Every structure is written in structure tokens, then in C-alpha cells.
Amino acid sequence: MGEALFLVNIRMCERRIDEQKSVMPLKKIEAEIKTKELKQENIKNKQVSFIETEIFDALYKNGVSVIIPSCKGAGTIKKCLDSLALQTLTKKDFEVIVILNGEHDGTENILSKFKNENPEINLLITRNELVGAGAARNHGLSLATRKFVTFIDDDDFVSKGFLQGLLAHSIHSDIVISNIKDFNDFGFFESSINQQIDKAVIDGQVKYESITSAITLNACKLVPTGIAKSIQYSNQLKSGEDVVYFTKLVSLFKPCFSIVNKENDAIYYRRVKDNSVSRQPKSFEFNVKQRLEVVVELEKIVSNDEMKAFIIGKVNSQLGFVNRYLLENPGEWVKFKDFAERLDISPRAFQYVNEKQSNTLVISYCFPPYIDTAGIVCAKRIIQNNKPVDVISNTMKGVRERDDSLWDLVKPYVGNFQEIQAFPSFANWKAIEDFCKKAVTAAERNIEKYTDVYSRSMWPGSHFAAALLKIKYPKLRWVAEFSDPLRIDVQGQERLIDMDSAWLAVNGFTNAIEKSVFKIDGKARLFYWCEMLPYVFSDQIIFTNESQKAYMLNMLSDHGLKSRVEERALVLSHPTLPEKFYRLSNFNYPLEKSKFNIGYFGSFYVNRGIGDLMKSLAIVSDEIKEIIRVHIFTPSPESVNVDHKFNNNLLVNEIVPYLDFLAVSKSFDVLVVNDTETKNIKWINPYLPSKLSDYIGSGTPVWALCEEGSELDRLKIAPPFFVKSRIGDIHESARLMMKMTELKIEKIS
């Protein structure tokens, strides 16, 4: 960046060398560059040295270039020009550049007349066809010939001592700030920006944070021309281009700021009007769209750690407009989210807005970015509900791997996110109790804004923490979702893990249940209470399929409690993500297009595997077998024993990150999903594989290996997108395999 700036200014010097006798000769400038090279690390950090500013100074005449963009300024520009005619600074020490970039409204005639009446003022009138004040200022900067520039809007004016006062405080690369006063048709009044300036003077320290509003305002400042020319105003932004311009400038050059003394009478008078760009009536266009467009530009600015806080402050200031608008228009949050997604604003910016808009707290013990089916399904549920939420989860460090790309799923929805640092455990009561205590403390920091709390369990800690919040704050509406039955495991055995019954008593659960009409076993079993607490205290209970609901309610002996659960029960299948999520990853998995490619994603268990698939493969004809390729993606590829006779048919891979899985799932000829086998173990199969919802969203045909009578078996999806065979019916599976392969052969023939 530094080298580029030198080259730009050398070319400028070449153009002016004949007309500016005071300019340093070109060869001398080149010698300066060679003998005073910037350190490489400064160039990398986009920092400009003091040497550069010396060379910048040599390229320009002494004095000030006053840049005035004008659009429909016929009614106000005369007062602006008259204030410049009254300047105490000698007329030869400043030039005025007016850039017309709006419709012809008579402003040009006013300017011509002023020029004729004030021949001693060096006034340049030019027109720029590009729309926008940013484009006009860029044009004005390109014409500036003095060492310093200042910007004045055509409806503002300045005090007599404005230019002289600024120039008196100018030093090399410093930026000088004047006082500023606001006015309207009814008179003058104190500017909030000037309050910042006055306070900085009183404190005796001009820090960025103390004058943050004045820094990124076009008005009331004197900037070294060489520095000013190195940055371009955005031509695309409809408003806020000054914020982006000066934030870039400050981040790149890190200039010092000085403030003129009151006795210098350097005052910028800023007109405040209802229809000005910065004071428009609240609208989605101005308060949301235009502010987010500014945020995108601010987030592109590269800086070191020292300047990050300054940039974040500017981002937050823009997002403040968004928040204030959405608080008054909450129904437009989805519109905000969709537009912000298209702009791809950062997760931090989304969180800043969402935490002000959210009134629902999600407690999901495991949550992205940790790789876990329960956490991913919870994220999908948040997407399905399509509203902002705060999230409390637990660290899963040591028990689950991280996949930071999972944040791409939830970044538009999550506001305040707190990851509790409790020992991660599925069944250790002390660890769960610790999580509950810390989760409630975290929730109480914002408890006044929450109307709802949602918890989802495969991990029991979610429901225990939510129950604790519900009993402390009964007005909270608690929605509890069960991914699977918890009391009874997949083998039909009760999970007999103890918990501390005193916890139930101390926190008021025991007393509340005794006052109710429900008869509940008092045994202190962790997984028993993980189901009972939602049954007794939650306002809504979500099951993922009808069989799961029937299976879990069948275990309730108290008919009153069973009725309560049925009244509050809602059956919602696992969410399927919109198609756009299948395009977030560019993951490419090589597939032979001439083969029939079968995809299987997931873990293997005693009662869930692909034994039927491989047995079917063994009995198809050699001609068909030659075409088939089975691609397995599993967390433990080493556990898959491959019979040597299937070496050419079976490809075993590490499980891929979730977004990569979504992307590659669209590439296969068929995806295999299989039931958990429960025959002779459970009276009904309560499981529906969550993977199915992901498969459905891919648009790839699904082959289901079903247990008779299961939810998967009863599922109604029209072929060829959904075909099924019964577990154990090898010949039916082989027939399906052959039929699908033959269709592929016909397709590629």
C-alpha cells in the first residue's frame, strides 16, 4: 500500500512539475524513496511512515483546498460561499472546489456570479456525472492542489476564523478538528458532537474514543491532502460513506488529532434538517439496508489489534440504527435477517443485533460448533422457527470435535451466546448440577427480556437447567423437546444413574409436585427425572414422531400426568434445511459417473448397520456388482471390516463435516438410511433416524432399510425419491439394488 501511494504521488508530481515551482523535483523525490525505504513489516501492516507525509507535503502548495459537493444547492450554497469570502485567512492561501453532481437547478449561475464578484478567491467549478456525494468528493480530491483539504456541505457554512484556525494547528500528518454548532430554521443549538470535542479539550487528551463521532464526520476537520487522496469514498453507498472513508483513513494512517483553541473562532455550522441524509424518517431502507451496507464496508477494513476496537465501535454505531428500527418494527426481523445474509455480514454483527431482538433462550447442552447430532438438530430447529434466540450451551471440549463451519448454520439467528465451562458429561450428576448452576446464572443476566425458554435433550443437562429456570421464573414459557426416549436405552434397559434428591427438594421441585395431583415415584434417578420434570413443569413437549410419543407416554402410570403431557404434546419431525444450505460448502468428493454410487453416512451399532446392504450385494449378478460402489462415511472407519470380495465395491471414509456432508449428499445415485432394530426389545420402534431429514433435503433418492411397522416403514414419499425394503429380506433388497442399478445403466447408455 505504501509503495503504491508513492507511485501515485510521483505521477501527480510529474503532471504538476511545470506549473508548481515550489514542488520538490521528481529526481529528488525518487532519491528520497530509495534512501528512506519503508520497513517491510510496516508495508504488510498497511502503515504509512512519516517519510511519506514529508513527500506528500512536497507535492502541494501551502494552504487549504475547500471541497464542496453540491446537489440541489441553489437555496443554500450562497451562504456557504459568503462565509468563505469572509475568511481571515489570506485568499491566496486557499482554493474552493465546487463539484456539481445533481440536476441543473440554477446553482451554476449562483457560482458564476459569486466568482465574478470575488475574483480574488480561487474558485473552481466542475461537474461530475456520477451520482452521490462520495463520488463528488473523490472528484474534488483529485483536483486539490493545497497541502490540506477540508470538506464543507453546500447547506452549511463556517466562521470567519475557520480556515486560519485550522491551519494554525496543522502539523504534517495530524488531523485538526474545529468546533461545530448545529442550526436549523429556528436558530442555533448545541451539537452532541461538540460536547465530545469540548470534553476532550477539558480532559487534555484527544483519544480516538473520546471524539469518535467527530472523527468519522466529513465536517469540521482539516486533513493532509496526501493522506486524504490515498483513500477513496465509496460510490455505491447511499449514506454513511463518510464513516467508511474516515474509518479507513484512521485505521491505515493512525493520525494524531488536535483541536483548535476556542479563541481561534474556528467553527463549523452544520444545518440540521428533517430530510437530510443522516436525519431521515425511520425506514427499513435507511435504518436497515443502508446501515448494513456500511457495516459490510467497515468489516472489510484490514487493521491490527490496536485499531479493531475503533472499527468495532463504528460497526456497532451503524447497527444501533438497525436495532432501534427493529425494536419498533419487530415484524421486520426476518426481512433484516434475509438481507443481512445476502450481504454476508459477520457473526459478531448478527449477534449484536439479535441479542437486542431475542426474547427466547435456547438451552442446548451440546451446540455448534461442536460436532454432535443433537446439537445440529437443535440448530436446525432454530432455523425452522426463524426468529432470533439467545443460546446457552456447555463446552464439549474433550468429548466432541469442533467444526467452526457449523456457525454458518446459525449465525443469522443467534444473539447472546454463552458457552458454560462445566465438565462435559452425559450422565455424571455432579457435572450436570454444575452446568445447571452456571447456566441459570448466565441466563439471569438477561432474564427480564425472556418470555420463552426452549431446551432439547439427548443430553440431559439441557432439561435440568431449563426446569431450574422455569421453577424460579414461572412466567417463562418452557418448551421441552425429546430427541429420543431417555429413561430406557436402545437395548430396552433402564438407565439407572443416580442423582442427588436433595437438589430436587432445595430447588422447590419436590414441594411443587407434592402440592400437585400427580403421583410420581420419588426415586432419585437422573434419566427418570430428565423426563418427569418436563412432563410436570413444561408448557409444551415436543416429540419427533408418533411412535416415540406413544412409547414414552406408555411408561407413565399416573393418568393425570399422562393427560397433561398429551394436552401439551406436539409431534414435529426433524427439520429439513432449505436447499441453500446444501450449497454452503464447496466440498468435492470424486465419484465415477459410470458407476451406481450408494452413499451411507453415520455410525454403526449392534442394532443398526449395513449388514443387509452387503448381503444383498453378495447375491446380485457379477455384471451388476461390477457397477455398484458403496461409499461409507463413518467416525470410525477402522471399525468397518471389509470382506476382500468387496474390495472393489466398498469405499470407507472418515465422516465429513456437516456442511460438506450436505453438499456431497446431492452427488450420489441413492442414499441409504436404516432403522434401529428393536424387534423383541421394544413393543414399538420409537426411533426415526434424524439423517433422513438431511437426505430428503438433498433431492437424492433415499433407500430405507426398515423394520416392519416402524415410523420409517410407514413413511409416505413417492418413488423414485423414496424406496424401501424390510430389514432381513435380503432378496427384496437385492432386487431393489439391481433395479436401481439397471436404471442408472440405461441412463448413461
Side-chain angles (χ1 to χ4, degrees):
M1 182 69 180
E3 294 169 326
L5 293 176
F6 281 135
L7 293 174
V8 168
N9 285 289
I10 288 171
R11 294 189 188 104
M12 290 165 52
C13 179
E14 288 174 326
R15 290 199 303 269
R16 294 179 181 153
I17 199 162
D18 293 331
E19 59 186 73
Q20 295 184 34
K21 303 299 183 183
S22 63
V23 172
M24 186 187 297
L26 181 59
K27 288 185 179 179
K28 187 175 180 183
I29 292 177
E30 291 173 334
E32 289 280 357
I33 296 170
K34 290 177 182 178
T35 56
K36 298 180 179 179
E37 293 180 346
L38 290 174
K39 293 183 179 179
Q40 190 62 33
E41 60 266 24
N42 283 346
I43 294 173
K44 287 179 181 177
N45 290 331
K46 294 182 165 55
Q47 294 177 359
V48 181
S49 72
F50 184 75
I51 298 167
E52 287 176 291
T53 62
E54 286 183 323
I55 296 172
F56 287 156
D57 283 352
L59 296 169
Y60 306 104
K61 295 177 183 178
N62 289 326
V64 184
S65 295
V66 180
I67 297 174
I68 306 174
S70 182
C71 178
K72 301 179 184 178
T76 57
I77 199 168
K78 179 67 165 59
K79 185 167 186 174
C80 177
L81 295 171
D82 286 344
S83 72
L84 292 172
L86 295 173
Q87 290 300 296
T88 56
L89 183 66
T90 307
K91 302 297 185 289
K92 68 179 179 62
D93 286 335
F94 69 91
E95 64 181 357
V96 180
I97 304 169
V98 179
I99 310 95
L100 301 168
N101 73 335
E103 61 189 56
H104 294 268
D105 67 339
T107 304
E108 219 160 341
N109 296 332
I110 296 170
L111 292 169
S112 297
K113 183 179 179 182
F114 178 84
K115 186 169 185 175
N116 291 333
E117 293 173 351
N118 298 274
E120 73 280 11
I121 294 179
N122 182 2
L123 173 61
L124 173 63
I125 305 166
T126 183
R127 180 168 285 278
N128 183 38
E129 296 306 322
L130 290 176
V131 176
R137 291 190 184 98
N138 287 335
H139 187 54
L141 280 169
S142 71
L143 299 171
T145 65
R146 303 306 178 101
K147 286 187 177 181
F148 297 94
V149 296
T150 190
F151 300 101
I152 303 178
D153 286 348
D154 65 359
D155 55 353
D156 298 338
F157 66 96
V158 294
S159 64
K160 293 180 181 180
F162 180 72
L163 294 179
Q164 187 169 358
L166 287 173
L167 204 55
H169 286 75
S170 62
I171 305 173
H172 291 293
S173 61
D174 283 12
I175 293 176
V176 186
I177 293 179
S178 76
N179 288 283
I180 183 170
K181 286 187 179 179
D182 289 341
F183 72 98
N184 58 21
D185 293 338
F186 303 100
F188 297 87
F189 51 93
E190 184 65 27
S191 166
S192 59
I193 294 174
N194 208 61
Q195 291 173 357
Q196 282 188 2
I197 293 170
D198 285 345
K199 188 175 186 305
V201 171
I202 293 170
D203 293 344
Q205 288 185 316
V206 186
K207 296 180 179 179
Y208 291 169
E209 60 268 26
S210 66
I211 54 167
T212 181
S213 297
I215 285 176
T216 49
L217 189 71
N218 281 312
C220 73
K221 59 174 64 67
L222 189 74
V223 184
T225 302
I227 290 176
K229 283 176 180 271
S230 68
I231 308 293
Q232 287 279 297
Y233 280 89
S234 169
N235 291 337
Q236 279 70 49
L237 295 176
K238 296 177 182 177
S239 62
E241 73 284 346
D242 52 346
V243 176
V244 175
Y245 175 86
F246 280 103
T247 302
K248 283 183 180 178
L249 188 147
V250 170
S251 299
L252 177 60
F253 292 96
K254 299 194 180 79
C256 293
F257 283 83
S258 57
I259 298 173
V260 296
N261 296 324
K262 290 277 187 183
E263 54 267 25
N264 287 122
D265 183 37
I267 304 171
Y268 186 105
Y269 293 98
R270 182 177 65 153
R271 182 183 295 273
V272 176
K273 54 187 179 181
D274 291 337
N275 62 345
S276 68
V277 170
S278 60
R279 292 177 179 266
Q280 295 184 27
K282 288 179 183 176
S283 68
F284 188 85
E285 170 66 28
F286 178 76
N287 291 76
V288 180
K289 290 183 71 174
Q290 292 181 26
R291 303 286 61 76
L292 291 178
E293 287 166 350
V294 172
V295 166
V296 168
E297 295 304 312
L298 290 172
E299 291 189 328
K300 290 178 184 175
I301 298 172
V302 178
S303 70
N304 57 22
D305 291 340
E306 183 183 346
M307 296 305 301
K308 278 183 181 175
F310 176 73
I311 296 172
I312 288 173
K314 291 299 165 184
V315 170
N316 291 351
S317 179
Q318 295 296 307
L319 295 175
F321 284 86
V322 178
N323 270 324
R324 288 188 289 275
Y325 179 82
L326 291 178
L327 286 172
E328 294 179 12
N329 303 275
E332 297 200 51
W333 177 85
V334 172
K335 207 171 154 186
F336 148 76
K337 185 264 297 180
D338 291 343
F339 185 74
E341 273 193 287
R342 288 199 294 275
L343 292 181
D344 196 27
I345 68 171
S346 69
R348 197 208 69 81
F350 263 118
Q351 285 184 254
Y352 189 86
V353 174
N354 287 339
E355 68 177 333
K356 304 293 191 303
Q357 310 303 322
S358 58
N359 57 22
T360 297
L361 174 65
V362 170
I363 302 180
S364 180
Y365 192 87
C366 186
F367 195 74
Y370 293 103
I371 304 170
D372 182 89
T373 300
I376 290 171
V377 174
C378 182
K380 289 164 62 179
R381 189 69 79 200
I382 290 170
I383 294 166
Q384 182 184 56
N385 290 337
N386 203 22
K387 66 178 186 177
V389 297
D390 291 351
V391 177
I392 291 176
S393 67
N394 194 59
T395 179
M396 304 304 286
K397 189 175 181 180
V399 297
R400 290 290 184 270
E401 295 294 324
R402 286 176 63 97
D403 175 9
D404 290 326
S405 70
L406 287 174
W407 271 113
D408 290 336
L409 290 175
V410 294
K411 83 170 184 178
Y413 304 89
V414 175
N416 184 274
F417 176 73
Q418 299 183 73
E419 186 180 282
I420 304 302
Q421 300 301 306
F423 180 78
S425 177
F426 181 67
N428 181 293
W429 171 248
K430 286 296 181 185
I432 292 172
E433 184 180 17
D434 184 39
F435 167 75
C436 291
K437 180 180 178 182
K438 291 175 178 175
V440 169
T441 299
E444 287 179 330
R445 297 186 189 114
N446 299 294
I447 198 66
E448 70 285 345
K449 74 171 185 170
Y450 297 129
T451 58
D452 296 78
V453 59
Y454 164 87
S455 60
R456 187 179 193 280
S457 266
M458 185 63 193
W459 295 82
S462 303
H463 285 340
F464 279 106
L468 200 53
L469 269 179
K470 174 67 176 179
I471 202 162
K472 290 189 73 174
Y473 303 96
K475 290 184 179 179
L476 280 175
R477 180 175 180 270
W478 177 21
V479 178
E481 178 172 352
F482 290 99
S483 61
D484 288 320
L486 292 170
R487 280 174 62 187
I488 307 298
D489 67 17
V490 74
Q491 298 296 326
Q493 302 298 313
E494 185 171 3
R495 290 185 169 111
L496 300 175
I497 306 296
D498 290 336
M499 65 172 286
D500 185 1
S501 59
W503 184 85
L504 296 168
V506 168
N507 290 296
F509 295 109
T510 303
N511 186 51
I513 291 170
E514 286 175 353
K515 289 180 179 179
S516 73
V517 296
F518 308 131
K519 294 181 175 62
I520 297 177
D521 190 336
K523 57 188 177 185
R525 297 279 192 255
L526 188 154
F527 290 97
Y528 173 82
W529 282 104
C530 189
E531 291 186 2
M532 289 303 119
L533 291 178
Y535 289 167
V536 175
F537 295 100
S538 71
D539 299 279
Q540 187 173 76
I541 302 159
I542 297 176
F543 301 97
T544 56
N545 65 81
E546 291 288 351
S547 296
Q548 177 201 3
K549 174 187 168 185
Y551 181 83
M552 294 179 71
L553 292 189
N554 188 60
M555 290 185 280
L556 291 177
S557 56
D558 186 285
H559 294 292
L561 182 57
K562 188 173 182 178
S563 295
R564 184 186 193 277
V565 175
E566 286 177 330
E567 288 169 3
R568 290 162 174 75
L570 180 64
V571 176
L572 289 177
S573 60
H574 296 107
T576 294
L577 292 171
E579 199 272 337
K580 68 178 181 179
F581 289 93
Y582 291 76
R583 293 183 273 106
L584 290 178
S585 168
N586 295 318
F587 178 69
N588 183 34
Y589 177 75
L591 291 170
E592 294 182 73
K593 298 300 181 184
S594 61
K595 306 299 182 185
F596 182 70
N597 294 293
I598 301 172
Y600 177 87
F601 295 82
S603 301
F604 296 98
Y605 303 100
V606 174
N607 50 2
R608 192 176 74 189
I610 56 168
D612 278 20
L613 187 66
M614 302 315 296
K615 290 174 184 176
S616 302
L617 184 61
I619 64 174
V620 299
S621 67
D622 290 341
E623 180 185 0
I624 294 294
K625 192 180 300 181
E626 172 60 29
I627 302 296
I628 293 173
R629 296 291 182 271
V630 180
H631 305 264
I632 294 175
F633 297 83
T634 183
S636 304
E638 69 283 353
S639 66
V640 181
N641 296 317
V642 181
D643 192 317
H644 70 277
K645 64 185 177 185
F646 296 130
N647 282 343
N648 293 330
N649 303 101
L650 193 61
L651 295 91
V652 183
N653 306 276
E654 285 276 0
I655 199 76
V656 294
Y658 183 70
L659 293 180
D660 292 349
F661 150 65
L662 292 184
V664 77
S665 67
K666 297 175 69 67
S667 305
F668 291 96
D669 294 300
V670 70
L671 299 168
V672 173
V673 62
N674 51 339
D675 255 332
T676 299
E677 296 182 59
T678 62
K679 190 176 181 180
N680 300 323
I681 298 175
K682 299 177 185 288
W683 66 272
I684 191 173
N685 188 332
Y687 306 108
L688 181 65
S690 63
K691 197 73 68 183
L692 177 64
S693 61
D694 295 321
Y695 285 0
I696 290 171
S698 72
T700 300
V702 177
W703 177 9
L705 297 169
C706 309
E707 186 173 71
E708 184 176 1
S710 71
E711 287 287 323
L712 190 58
D713 189 29
R714 296 200 303 272
L715 199 62
K716 304 293 184 185
I717 302 177
F721 297 104
F722 187 76
V723 295
K724 58 189 177 183
S725 57
R726 296 277 172 76
I727 292 174
D729 191 342
I730 306 304
H731 291 286
E732 173 62 12
S733 294
R735 187 191 68 79
L736 271 177
M737 185 180 288
M738 290 178 66
K739 183 178 179 181
M740 289 186 289
T741 307
E742 287 167 354
L743 287 172
K744 173 67 180 281
I745 294 171
E746 289 177 13
K747 186 177 179 180
I748 62 178
S749 296

